[in-house]
Each structure stands twice: as C-alpha cells, then as structure tokens.
Amino acid sequence: MGLLSRKATCSTHGQDSSYFLGWQEYEKNPYNEVNNPTGIIQMGLAENQLCLDLLEPWLMKNPDALGLKRDGISIFKELALFQDYNGFPAFKRALVDFMGEIRGNKVSFDPNHVVLTAGATSANETLMFCLADQGDAFLLPTPYYPGFDRDLRWRTGVEIVPIHCTSSNGFKVTLPAIEQAYRQAQKRKLRVKGVLITNPSNPLGTTMARDELDLLINFIEDKQIHLISDEIYSGTVFTSPSFVSVMEVLKDRNLDQTQVWERVHIVYSLSKDLGLPGFRVGAIYSNDPVVVSAATKMSSFGLVSSQTQYLLSAMLLDKKFTKEYMSENHKRLQKQQKDLVSGLEKAGIRCLDSNAGLFCWVDMRHLLKSNTFEAEMELWQKFVYHVKINISPGSSCHCIEPGWFRVCFANMSESTLKLAIQRLKSFVSSIGMNSQGHQELKSLRRKARNNWVFRLSLQSFYDREQDTTTKVSFSYRPHFMSLSNIAATLDAAA
Amino acid sequence: MRLIVPLQGVVQGRGGLIFGSLIPCALFYFLQLYLKRHRSPKPQSNPPSPTTSSPKLAEMTRTSSRSNLFSRSIGQVRISSRAISIAKPNESPYYIGLDKASEDPYDRLSNPDGVIQLGLSENRLCFDLIEKWMSENLGHSITGRDSGELNINGIATYQPFDGTMELKLAMAGFMSHIMGGAVTFEPSQMVLTAGATPAIETLCFCLADQGNAFLVPTPYYPGFDRDVKFRTGVELIPVHCRSTDNFALSITALDQAFNQTRKHGTKIRGILLSNPANPVGNLLSREMLYAILDFAREKNIHVISDEIFAGSMYGNEEFVSMAEVLDSEGFDKNRVHIVYGLSKDLSLPGFRVGVIYSFNENVLAAARKLTRFSSVSAPTQRLLVSMLSDARFIEEYVKTNKRRLQNMHALFVAGLKGLNIRCADSSAGLYCWADMSKLISSYSEKGELELWDKLLNVGKINVTPGSACHCIEPGWFRCCFTTLAEEDIPVVLERIRKAVENTTDLLNSS
C-alpha cells in the first residue's frame, strides 16, 4: 500500500530547490547571538522583523482587539461562528483603505472586489485555478520568487514560461523578451493565459517603472490575456522612486471600465508590510466579478481566522498607528539596506540598486570560478557550510546569469547584520589571497565572459534581423556596446 | 480523439488493405486533428446538480443578477473552465436555504418572523462556558504574557505551516479525551489545516489523481461535493444506504458500487466515511469498522474517516474511532487517514482549525507541504493551545455539552413525533434525520423539494432536504437543533404544522 497520487509524489512542489535546502541547513544549525554564535545566519528568508517592537505597545493599548471585544462587550460568539467566505466586512474595508494609502491614495479599492485567503501563497494559487486550466501557461519575468514554482504550478497543472531579463538593463522587462517568451510558449504548445509580475520585485528589490507597466498593459491588451500583479512588497518601498501600482497606470490611461480593467488582478498580503506572516492574511483584488465569485468560493479552502480578521481590522482602522508604523518601517528598512550595501561594497561586492523589498540582489559573478551555474552552486555551498550564511542563489530564482544571489537583511538585528558582513568580508579576502591564480582566473573569465557576451549579442542580432524595422536594428548597436561596457567595468571592479 | 476501429478495406485486390483501411483511418485522424485545433474552446459542462428538477422559488433576486454576468462573459473564455462552473450561483437547496436564512435570521426578540436556521450544523448550546473561559483567560493566552510582558514575536513570524508542536500536543490530548480516552494520538502524525474543509481537499490531492473516484455512503454532507470535486478533479461515487436498516452501510453495497465503477473504467482510490455520520447521526460499529478495513485491504484502497462529530455524542452507544480499531488489531495502518476539526465539538468554525491524522509517512510528508496553502493563523494557534491545555475546563465542557445535547435532542425528536414525523435512530451529531415522506405530495425528489420550498418560504424554517445529501429515498430532511434554545422548539413545531396544514396525514395524526 502507500499508493499516493501523482501530484503527491512528483517534485513540482519545488521543495528540492536550493532555496529550500538552504533553509533546512539553517534549521539544523541556526545562529543565535547567545546560544549558538557560530551557527548559520539566515539571510534567505524574506521576513520583516524590524518593527515588531511597535506592535506590542499598540496591542497593550488596545486590549479590546485581542480580547475579542467591541466597546468593552464581548463579541466572541459572533466571531467564533463567523465562517462566511465573503470575509469580515470591517476587515475588508480597513484592508482596502490600507492598500489605498500605500499607493498614496492615487487609487481607491472597492471592498467588494476583495477575496480574503490564508496568505498570498493561497491567493496566487487560487487565482491560477480561476484564470487557467491544466496545460495553460503564465509568463513570468526572471528572476522570480522560487515559491512560484510550487504556488502556481503544483496543484493547478499550469506551466510557467520565463521572460528572461538580464543585468544589461538592470533586469528590466523588455518587449523583445516578452515576445520571445510568448513564442516559446507557443512552440511548447502551451496556451498563454497571462503574465504575472511581482512589483516591487522579488528578488530584485526594485519597483517597476511606469514604462515597464505600460509595456505590459499594451502586451496583455494586444494578446487579450490577464495580468497579475503581486504587490506583496508594496509597503516596503523605502526610498525613491515611489511605488506605482498597475491600477494607477490603468487609471491614468483612462482604461478603467474597459475590458483590460477586468483582466488585471492584484495579489496582496500583510506578511511583508506589517511583518505578520504567521497570521496568514492574503487577498486577491479583481475587477472581474466572475473571478471574484469563483475565488470567493474557493477561498473556503483557506479562510482567514475570524479572530485574526477582527484583530487586524482594529489595527488597520487606527490610521494614526499605521502611518507611524509604515514611516518607521521604511526608515529602518532603508538604514538596514544601506548598512548591507556599504558593507558589501567594502568587500568589493556590488548590489543592484534597490528601493524596496526586504533583500538585495547581489552581484557575485566575479567570485565564481567559471561563468556557470555549477560554479554558482559551489560558491553557494561554500557560503552555507563555510561562511555560515544562508543566501539564495540566482539559479533557484531562475536567473539566466550565474553569480547573482539574493541576500535578505530585514529579519535580523544590526549586530547580526554586522557579523554577517564581517564573515563575508573575510571570505572574500581569503579568496583574494591566492592572487596569482586569481589573476589568471580573471583573465580566463574575462575571455569567457566576452565570448559569452559576444555570442549572446550575436544571437540577438540574428533574431532582430528577422524584424523589418530599421529602427530596431539601429537600437541594437548601443545595446551591444553597453554589454561590453559593463563587462569592462566589472573587470575594473573585480 | 476517439479510438476508431479501422475500417476493413473495401477495395479488393492489391493494396486493398492499405487503400481500404489505412488511408481512411489517416484521413479520419487528420480530420479530427484539424477540428480539434480549430475548434473554439467551449466551457466544460456543469457539475451534476443534486436536483434534477429545480424548485420554483418565490425570490431569486440575488442569483438572477449573477446569471446576467454569465451571458456576458461565457462568450469570451479567458478565465478557466473550472472558475466558470464554480462561479455559477449555487443551485443546491443546501446553499440556497443557508443564504435565505442568513438574509433574514430569526431572533426571538428582534425578528420573530425571521427564518429559523435548522440547516447549519452549528453548536450554540455551550457558548456561555467558552465565553466564561475567554473572559478569564483571553488576555494572556494569546500574547504569552505571563509576567506582564507581551511577546508578539512568537506569533508574528513564520510558523511551521503544518501547525506548532504545542498545538499538535494540545490537540492530540483533546481528541483523545473526547473519544473517551480509548485512543492516544501521536502529535508527529498530525497535520493542522485551516478547517476540516481543506483537510479533506488536501487528502484528496494526496491520494487520488484527476479522474479517480472515492466511494461515499449516502446520504452524505453536501459540502463533500465541493471539498472533493471542486479543484481536484476527483469524483464521488455514492453507495446507497436505506432506511430499512437505518441507513447503515453494508459491505455488499460497497462491493457492488466498487465493481460497477470499475466496469466503467474509473479507478476507485478510497472510501470517504463520516463517523459519526452526517446527516443521519448514526455510528459505525466496531464490527463494521473491521469489515471496512478488510474490504479496503482486499481492494487495495484508502479509507478516510471524517470524525469531526466525535465529540458531539448524545446517545448511549459507544463511539469507536478508526484509530482505536487500528491500535488493537493488526490492520495495515498505511491506508487509514482521519480528519477532525474544532468547528463542531468546540463550536469554533470561524477560527479555522482542522486536523489530518495519518499513519502513512508519505501522505504526511505530502500533506505537510500542502498546508502552505491553508495554515492555521498564529494567534488562533496560541489561543487554542491555552484553551485545550486547560484540562479542567475541557472536562467540564465535554460533560456539559453532552448533557445539553441529549436534552435538546430528546425534546426536539419528541416534538417531531408529536407531529407524526419520526426520526432515524441516531447517537451523535448536531441534527436529526427526519422522515417527512408522508407529508410530500408525490413520493419523488420533486415532491420533496416542493415541501422544502413550502417549509422555507411559508413556514420560514430552513432544513436540508435529503436530495441535497444525495439520499436515494425522498422525503428525508436534516434538522439541526443546536442553534435553538428550548423556547424555540414549540415555535419550530408550530411553523412546520402551519406549513403543511393542507396535508391530510398530519391533520389525521393530531
């Protein structure tokens, strides 16, 4: 016996990825300032623990919220029996107000378009069930959150086709890349149902520019497909440029109340912005009533506890508290990110310029033995087992360039961060010790890199030759030059 | 593409076979391929509705607006076929009745003409006990404030998705207690989910592939149709039970259903049981449990035992859990999985706490990964650890709950008897299974739904008709009595009497 279903025995749950393996190693030997100072420091979990000390005083000042009382009278019975999948109305209203505030009140949301789910994980999966059938596909820009492999594909049977982004333009989404992905999906006989973006991006930590969003909206309008914007990090934007939601762009282009309006959906959660992942609160926002109806019924499989809904509605309704909390949150995130970036710079490691998120996208290509993913894995293993830092390798995020790592900074104290940076520095300098070999390696790497760059650009040259407009072929040359420019600057920095 | 039997060559002579059969074959296949490629995608057919003849209802305002949406969006198939069928307004009287009752709920003082809810199995008899506990313990139970210091760190951050060990320990103790201490549950074999609903769905994903089926004795809880079928693609095959043996399950019926399904080419992956049964309220005897396990072993299938009503006993029969039977005999434990939840026994459906208990390590491993999609909220976990660990409170609660259930059940059943409506023998649950077949105009599903409609719209009471529970005999209704107070029972009886005033049988009896 023990005969299980195919779904239970396949590996689409993605738990074998290095992203999760690193966590497992951390669990075996977790760092603790007092009890285990030589343990592994967890820098692979995007959790915001910087502002928990602000929540506790609020709870003490508002005992009704925890005590399940309203104006001193117990409403426990009402909450205990409340299992309506339409959600606690006061909570939905408070949530949409909060979401509006994060977007500078440039867009307002309708509580009737919200579906509550047990976390954004459940929200993403439920949206997949609603928008796509088995065998359909969604396009995702790489690098993307490793959890999507499980959330979007496992039980739904939907495929992910990557839109490859490269460091040549800061990993921004470009039209050729999207079209290439669409063609790829068609070659694989997959029907593309939509595009899913994470804005602000995980793992990049950057917000999408308006022109990128315009590009995406044009694309989905043209192909008549959906756009899901996972805006779970929207409240973690700590510096300019400010956050622009896809809903804002639609409104500015007067596309609200058109067909496209109904094909754009937002996923949100309080796990990152409020630092409450344990509470399991996620939301789907959609302007398509059929999607809202279907998703609401499916949310029965992951309802938010009524006790939690009540507690959070009280918290979110306290606008003064949320304003203070968010501004303090941004301040602390900014400081922590600055500390990490400057610490890494001193070790000769550069990060992608980021203005959001709980992590940095770190460029360690110069530390690789060779420009391959095997070398990246080797380096990652060194980090986990020797340097004792768990970071997430770019390959687990499906990045096509080896050597990038996601390093989280928001789940630790300042002192732990300092220690982590110190460990990194000593590791980097120990690599640099063998300078002779290092120089040879560098020149070899430079040759290999230039070859790769040349080949890559040549390939895109041939691709572009298919296009008829001369405009495109002209714009190609600066593209080629900028690639080799970057290669040159990296040589200088390494 | 359908398989076709190649046509025999009609052209005689050389190459007859090729010209006669292969070429027409090939042409036929290419035609099919062409049609398939160029056919516009059609939405899938509706899931089978339990009511073949839809009842005529006085008001359908809420649902009709939604049907307008469908005429607009079905033309452009951009969302999944799954979503289209799920988003449709619920046609089952189970859901229609629930909606109606929640729109106009009865309240003895403020809304005495409202709809009395007898269609939702909710236990309101012991809230006073829980509320008392809450007022004494709630403050420090959630935040872990023992010495006056709040500790939100413990509940704010990521928790193990299958539940904290503290809650599993507390839950194991609680489950053991309500089952009379006859079983001990091992916390490491538990997976906690956001309610019993995702527990059932998760088990279906683990044990069956799309297109497989589970056998389920009828009548069964209408929610199973959603839990098992919505997203997993797994079918439910009814195994009919009859009133002649008080709706007890028989192995012969199981066997028949198994063989028939196999003949149609569908693979049976397991049996889905409710013990105590919903909606009938009877228990599976020890002998029956042995027989089911033997059957499962013989056919090499799983057994899912939904024991969510185990703590809602009012009869004198002894409840025997599947786990107890497995403990004592040498059965293969790997095929048994138990589902539990706190929605019925502790009256906390809003808090979303369910349990999957399995002996199969592979199932547990898969289920643990799946709880990523439906975990119990952390503050709720903390609160329940406190509550379930309070042994004195739990003991008092279980005792009082049983006493009040017994009392309410006796009153309600006696009241129905006074109207010449008998109930099936039952020992547990929050409801009784009433035989109103004498009150229906025609002994058919249509007649039953007419009576249901009368009871809902004229009598203003919501009960669940047997057809929504896939009962093969018309005229049976599930009436939940735990949402009532003692004073409400005469009101209910009076309304039933009024609703069926013209039925001669009823008048003759009184």
Side-chain angles (χ1 to χ4, degrees):
Chain A
M1 234 288 82
L3 202 60
L4 295 183
S5 65
R6 279 195 286 270
K7 283 214 167 84
T9 47
C10 70
S11 55
T12 321
H13 51 73
Q15 304 274 95
D16 302 328
S17 142
S18 46
Y19 181 75
F20 296 104
L21 291 176
W23 287 8
Q24 282 170 24
E25 288 307 315
Y26 163 76
E27 296 290 331
K28 289 187 208 156
N29 182 15
Y31 169 80
N32 184 291
E33 223 167 318
V34 175
N35 303 332
N36 189 14
T38 55
I40 301 179
I41 300 180
Q42 172 68 293
M43 298 185 96
L45 177 60
E47 201 176 45
N48 185 356
Q49 292 186 23
L50 300 177
C51 287
L52 291 177
D53 59 315
L54 298 176
L55 291 173
E56 281 159 17
W58 186 90
L59 286 170
M60 297 218 54
K61 269 190 261 163
N62 294 274
D64 268 7
L66 265 184
L68 304 181
K69 296 198 177 103
R70 191 186 285 138
D71 303 323
I73 305 172
S74 169
I75 52 162
F76 164 73
K77 188 164 162 184
E78 186 190 321
L79 291 174
L81 294 175
F82 186 83
Q83 51 175 332
D84 183 2
Y85 52 35
N86 289 303
F88 210 60
F91 178 54
K92 290 212 298 199
R93 276 195 303 271
L95 185 65
V96 301
D97 282 345
F98 185 64
M99 285 169 73
E101 259 203 61
I102 290 178
R103 289 154 182 78
N105 285 318
K106 297 197 201 113
V107 252
S108 63
F109 295 96
D110 182 354
N112 294 321
H113 291 191
V114 173
V115 178
L116 297 173
T117 59
T121 302
S122 180
N124 277 316
E125 198 203 29
T126 301
L127 255 186
M128 276 299 121
F129 271 119
C130 288
L131 302 178
D133 288 304
Q134 192 146 358
D136 290 340
F138 257 77
L139 307 180
L140 264 71
T142 64
Y144 61 77
Y145 163 53
F148 280 153
D149 287 327
R150 167 201 60 212
D151 299 350
L152 308 180
R153 296 188 317 156
W154 192 12
R155 302 197 289 187
T156 59
V158 172
E159 272 307 316
I160 295 179
V161 177
I163 300 173
H164 288 299
C165 303
T166 61
S167 56
S168 58
N169 66 344
F171 294 96
K172 286 201 191 299
V173 179
T174 61
L175 184 59
I178 303 179
E179 286 178 343
Q180 159 80 335
Y182 192 83
R183 277 195 302 270
Q184 185 71 9
Q186 284 180 322
K187 238 191 274 182
R188 286 169 62 181
K189 309 262 191 308
L190 299 167
R191 184 168 62 160
V192 177
K193 272 314 195 72
V195 180
L196 189 148
I197 56 171
T198 310
N199 178 26
S201 168
N202 177 5
L204 302 175
T206 55
T207 49
M208 277 199 170
R210 215 172 256 270
D211 56 345
E212 272 179 281
L213 292 170
D214 275 328
L215 178 66
L216 286 160
I217 292 173
N218 293 339
F219 184 75
I220 63 155
E221 212 173 357
D222 178 40
K223 302 281 188 234
Q224 302 232 331
I225 56 179
H226 295 272
L227 177 63
I228 300 178
S229 180
D230 185 345
E231 302 188 345
I232 195 177
Y233 289 100
S234 47
T236 63
V237 180
F238 48 78
T239 185
S240 62
S242 61
F243 175 61
V244 179
S245 166
V246 68
M247 286 294 175
E248 193 187 325
V249 175
L250 283 173
K251 196 158 152 243
D252 290 344
R253 285 171 59 165
N254 290 321
L255 288 172
D256 44 342
Q257 316 315 322
T258 62
Q259 271 202 12
V260 171
W261 181 247
E262 287 190 0
R263 288 205 302 270
V264 175
H265 319 277
I266 292 182
V267 168
Y268 185 60
S269 161
L270 296 177
S271 302
K272 311 292 179 185
D273 295 346
L274 278 189
L276 300 170
F279 282 37
R280 311 313 300 144
V281 181
I284 298 172
Y285 187 87
S286 173
N287 295 309
D288 183 341
V290 181
V291 172
V292 173
S293 175
T296 305
K297 293 200 186 138
M298 283 195 209
S299 68
S300 301
F301 298 112
L303 293 175
V304 183
S305 166
S306 55
Q307 171 199 17
T308 307
Q309 289 191 51
Y310 181 67
L311 170 57
L312 290 174
S313 64
M315 194 184 282
L316 294 179
L317 280 171
D318 188 348
K319 298 265 167 76
K320 189 161 146 311
F321 169 73
T322 54
K323 259 208 179 72
E324 280 172 13
Y325 182 93
M326 293 307 276
S327 83
E328 187 59 33
N329 190 23
H330 294 167
K331 261 199 234 132
R332 294 184 189 184
L333 280 172
Q334 189 171 22
K335 171 151 194 326
Q336 199 96 332
Q337 187 248 19
K338 264 211 187 88
D339 285 348
L340 177 65
V341 172
S342 55
L344 287 174
E345 253 174 33
K346 292 203 187 88
I349 302 176
R350 282 184 43 218
C351 302
L352 186 71
D353 271 336
S354 66
N355 64 328
L358 311 174
F359 32 69
C360 281
W361 189 234
V362 180
D363 182 3
M364 305 217 204
R365 289 178 289 181
H366 58 290
L367 297 176
L368 293 183
K369 283 216 183 88
S370 61
N371 190 13
T372 60
F373 288 112
E374 286 80 26
E376 184 187 271
M377 273 296 113
E378 234 187 275
L379 183 60
W380 173 71
Q381 277 170 353
K382 279 209 195 94
F383 271 115
V384 175
Y385 296 109
H386 300 297
V387 188
K388 301 271 181 66
I389 301 181
N390 176 37
I391 56 180
S392 310
S395 50
S396 66
C397 305
H398 302 271
C399 183
I400 50 168
E401 296 179 11
W404 291 88
F405 286 80
R406 185 189 81 166
V407 179
C408 302
F409 54 76
N411 59 329
M412 57 187 67
S413 62
E414 259 187 75
S415 48
T416 315
L417 185 62
K418 274 207 185 76
L419 175 62
I421 294 175
Q422 210 177 329
R423 287 188 187 178
L424 255 164
K425 259 204 221 142
S426 29
F427 171 67
V428 171
S429 43
S430 75
I431 293 186
M433 288 285 207
N434 191 3
S435 52
Q436 171 90 11
H438 191 54
Q439 285 301 328
E440 282 175 5
L441 271 168
K442 267 174 67 179
S443 60
L444 263 171
R445 254 189 275 125
R446 197 182 311 143
K447 279 208 198 107
R449 188 170 41 235
N450 283 346
N451 264 339
W452 167 75
V453 158
F454 191 78
R455 254 184 285 124
L456 191 70
S457 33
L458 224 59
Q459 184 137 8
S460 46
F461 178 62
Y462 285 132
D463 272 345
R464 279 170 210 273
E465 284 251 295
Q466 318 274 337
D467 293 334
T468 50
T469 57
T470 47
K471 196 170 172 200
V472 174
S473 54
F474 273 133
S475 68
Y476 149 74
R477 262 193 229 119
H479 180 74
F480 174 70
M481 289 210 293
S482 70
L483 274 174
S484 51
N485 265 344
I486 290 197
T489 46
L490 279 173
D491 281 338
Chain B
M1 250 186 273
R2 277 193 240 111
L3 272 172
I4 59 164
V5 177
L7 302 166
Q8 278 301 319
V10 290
V11 178
Q12 298 298 322
R14 246 180 325 177
L17 197 63
I18 297 175
F19 286 119
S21 60
L22 285 180
I23 292 186
C25 241
L27 284 176
F28 191 70
Y29 276 125
F30 284 126
L31 180 67
Q32 293 258 348
L33 198 64
Y34 174 80
L35 285 175
K36 189 179 180 195
R37 284 254 174 84
H38 291 84
R39 202 191 326 143
S40 55
K42 284 201 277 280
Q44 274 176 11
S45 53
N46 301 345
S49 164
T51 60
T52 44
S53 55
S54 45
K56 257 200 297 194
L57 289 182
E59 297 158 345
M60 285 272 274
T61 44
R62 252 192 14 151
T63 51
S64 66
S65 58
R66 270 186 254 164
S67 61
N68 285 338
L69 295 173
F70 284 102
S71 49
R72 175 162 60 86
S73 52
I74 279 189
Q76 322 132 337
V77 182
R78 296 184 312 257
I79 60 178
S80 68
S81 46
R82 230 176 327 223
I84 291 180
S85 62
I86 291 176
K88 284 212 178 78
N90 274 312
E91 285 169 0
S92 163
Y94 177 66
Y95 294 105
I96 295 177
L98 285 180
D99 282 345
K100 226 154 178 219
S102 60
E103 278 165 32
D104 180 20
Y106 166 82
D107 186 290
R108 209 175 317 127
L109 303 165
S110 57
N111 188 14
D113 293 321
V115 178
I116 302 186
Q117 175 68 286
L118 298 180
L120 185 58
S121 61
E122 233 174 39
N123 183 354
R124 299 193 184 193
L125 302 177
C126 287
F127 263 120
D128 56 325
L129 294 177
I130 303 189
E131 251 165 332
K132 185 158 153 283
W133 185 93
M134 289 278 172
S135 60
E136 287 165 12
N137 299 281
L138 191 54
H140 48 84
S141 66
I142 296 180
T143 55
R145 184 177 41 161
D146 293 321
S147 53
E149 281 187 14
L150 276 171
N151 177 21
I152 198 162
N153 201 344
I155 55 171
T157 53
Y158 277 108
Q159 314 278 308
F161 291 105
D162 58 329
T164 56
M165 194 38 100
E166 291 94 23
L167 183 54
K168 287 188 193 175
L169 273 162
M171 187 66 86
F174 178 68
M175 283 169 76
S176 176
H177 183 96
I178 56 163
M179 295 189 193
V183 210
T184 31
F185 289 94
E186 186 51 60
S188 58
Q189 285 171 230
M190 272 191 187
V191 168
L192 301 179
T193 57
T197 301
I200 302 259
E201 197 202 30
T202 299
L203 273 178
C204 287
F205 268 115
C206 290
L207 305 176
D209 291 314
Q210 195 159 355
N212 295 157
F214 275 91
L215 293 173
V216 56
T218 67
Y220 63 82
Y221 161 54
F224 279 161
D225 285 326
R226 168 201 59 197
D227 299 349
V228 175
K229 297 203 251 182
F230 252 26
R231 310 191 296 188
T232 63
V234 174
E235 269 308 310
L236 279 177
I237 307 290
V239 178
H240 292 297
C241 306
R242 299 175 192 276
S243 57
T244 40
D245 36 2
N246 199 44
F247 296 97
L249 180 60
S250 80
I251 297 292
T252 337
L254 268 179
D255 202 26
Q256 249 173 6
F258 185 88
N259 292 330
Q260 219 159 5
T261 316
R262 212 167 41 162
K263 248 191 259 174
H264 287 143
T266 303
K267 189 163 181 200
I268 298 277
R269 285 301 200 123
I271 310 173
L272 175 58
L273 305 164
S274 288
N275 178 30
N278 179 4
V280 182
N282 50 8
L283 302 176
L284 288 172
S285 66
R286 204 178 280 269
E287 294 71 37
M288 193 54 190
L289 292 175
Y290 292 161
I292 292 172
L293 288 171
D294 276 331
F295 179 80
R297 190 194 49 215
E298 185 196 317
K299 307 288 183 197
N300 197 18
I301 56 180
H302 292 274
V303 177
I304 301 179
S305 180
D306 182 356
E307 302 186 346
I308 199 173
F309 288 101
S312 305
M313 297 279 304
Y314 47 74
N316 298 319
E317 245 184 277
E318 182 208 5
F319 172 71
V320 182
S321 162
M322 266 293 184
E324 191 186 329
V325 167
L326 284 175
D327 259 349
S328 49
E329 306 289 317
F331 287 106
D332 178 10
K333 293 185 175 182
N334 275 320
R335 57 179 86 249
V336 175
H337 319 280
I338 295 174
V339 169
Y340 186 66
L342 294 181
S343 306
K344 312 293 178 187
D345 294 343
L346 261 193
S347 320
L348 300 172
F351 287 10
R352 313 311 303 148
V353 185
V355 181
I356 297 176
Y357 189 81
S358 175
F359 299 88
N360 187 324
E361 267 316 311
N362 293 326
V363 171
L364 287 173
R368 270 182 211 122
K369 296 191 184 97
L370 285 169
T371 52
R372 194 70 168 83
F373 300 107
S374 48
S375 303
V376 186
S377 184
T380 306
Q381 292 199 51
R382 258 275 183 94
L383 169 61
L384 288 170
V385 167
S386 233
M387 194 191 276
L388 297 176
S389 317
D390 188 342
R392 206 176 46 84
F393 164 72
I394 294 293
E395 202 179 316
E396 192 201 335
Y397 179 88
V398 172
K399 242 195 306 198
T400 316
N401 192 28
K402 181 164 181 175
R403 201 182 54 233
R404 292 184 187 177
L405 267 176
Q406 262 171 340
N407 183 37
M408 207 49 147
H409 174 253
L411 279 172
F412 196 75
V413 170
L416 286 180
K417 202 144 169 234
L419 292 176
N420 208 26
I421 298 173
R422 76 167 188 98
C423 296
D425 286 334
S426 59
S427 327
L430 309 175
Y431 38 75
C432 60
W433 188 234
D435 182 6
M436 302 202 199
S437 50
K438 295 199 204 105
L439 302 174
I440 57 182
S441 48
S442 67
Y443 191 67
S444 65
E445 193 183 311
K446 187 158 171 284
E448 180 188 279
L449 289 170
E450 269 170 23
L451 177 59
W452 168 75
D453 185 68
K454 234 193 293 186
L455 286 168
L456 181 62
N457 292 307
V458 177
K460 294 278 190 94
I461 56 170
N462 174 41
V463 288
T464 309
S467 50
C469 306
H470 304 267
C471 183
I472 202 169
E473 298 177 12
W476 290 86
F477 287 81
R478 184 187 81 165
C479 311
C480 303
F481 51 78
T482 48
T483 49
L484 303 170
E486 273 187 46
E487 304 84 67
D488 298 324
I489 296 187
V491 180
V492 172
L493 297 173
E494 186 50 43
R495 289 196 186 185
I496 298 179
R497 187 192 292 263
K498 232 196 268 179
V500 297
E501 242 165 355
N502 301 322
T503 314
T504 38
D505 278 300
L506 184 57
L507 291 174
N508 281 344
S509 65
S510 51

